[in-house]
Amino acid sequence: MLHNLFMSPFYGRYKVENHKELTSALAKTAEDVEDYYGWNQHCNVQVKMIQDFEFALPYLKPYLFQFSDELGVKLDYAFVDSAWVSCYNKGGFQEVHQHANSDISVVYCMNSGIDFAKFYFIDRHSNDFSDAWIRKVFPTELRDTYFPEVEEGDLLIFPSHLLHGVSVHKSDTVRKTFAFNMNIHSVH
C-alpha cells in the first residue's frame, strides 16, 4: 500500500458576492494612491499600496471564515501591514515568489478577459523526481506549474510559502488584482 509522506499544497477559490461593488471601491481607492517601487524590481507590474483596506473586509471575511472551516479549524487572523492593487499593462508579469513573513496570502481578481495574464503556482518539490519518473511513469500527473481557473470576482486564499507568480499579460486592457497577507494569530 502506498502512503503519502507529507501534506500536499492547497488553496481555496471563492466567488465574492457583490464583487462589482468591491472592485469599484478598490479601483477608486487605488486611483488616489501613488505607485509603489519597493519590492517590484524583478517584475513588470504597477503597484498601488493600500494602507487602509478596512472597507474591503466585509466583502472578504465570509470567505476567510469559509477557508478556515474547510480546513477543519477556527483560525484567528492578524492582518499584515498593508494591501496592494497590482496593475498589469500589456507585457506585465510577476516573477515567482513567496511571502516569507506571513502565513496566508489572499488575491482578489478585479477583472478578467481574453489574453489576460494567468496566476499560477509552482511546485517547489517538482525536482524531487527524475526525468524518467516524470516522462515515463507519471507523464500526466507530475507537473511543476498549476494554473487555477480564475475569473473576475474570484478570491484565492493559500499558504504564503507557496511559490506563485503571474504570466505575461497580452491584453491591451489592464489586468488588476487586490492582494494582502495575514498571519495566523491563533487556532481553535
Side-chain angles (χ1 to χ4, degrees), residues 53 57 60 64 79 82-84 104-107 178-182:
F53 60 101
L57 295 180
L60 304 177
L64 298 176
F79 297 99
S82 57
W84 59 95
I104 297 173
S105 294
V106 178
V107 177
F178 170 71
F180 60 93
N181 294 314
M182 301 180 296

Side-chain angles (χ1 to χ4, degrees), residues 79-110:
F79 297 99
V80 177
D81 297 328
S82 57
W84 59 95
V85 171
S86 296
C87 302
Y88 298 84
N89 293 302
K90 192 170 189 172
F93 66 93
Q94 177 69 58
E95 88 284 3
V96 174
H97 65 285
Q98 65 181 359
H99 300 271
N101 295 324
S102 59
D103 300 319
I104 297 173
S105 294
V106 178
V107 177
Y108 169 70
C109 182
M110 295 173 64

Side-chain angles (χ1 to χ4, degrees), residues 90-146:
K90 192 170 189 172
F93 66 93
Q94 177 69 58
E95 88 284 3
V96 174
H97 65 285
Q98 65 181 359
H99 300 271
N101 295 324
S102 59
D103 300 319
I104 297 173
S105 294
V106 178
V107 177
Y108 169 70
C109 182
M110 295 173 64
N111 62 348
S112 61
I114 297 170
D115 292 331
F116 266 46
K118 296 183 187 301
F119 180 93
Y120 61 90
F121 293 109
I122 292 283
D123 180 4
R124 71 176 68 237
H125 300 289
S126 63
N127 63 356
D128 289 353
F129 290 90
S130 69
D131 283 346
W133 277 97
I134 294 170
R135 286 185 287 108
K136 297 175 184 173
V137 181
F138 299 116
T140 58
E141 290 86 2
L142 294 177
R143 294 182 187 90
D144 67 350
T145 307
Y146 178 74

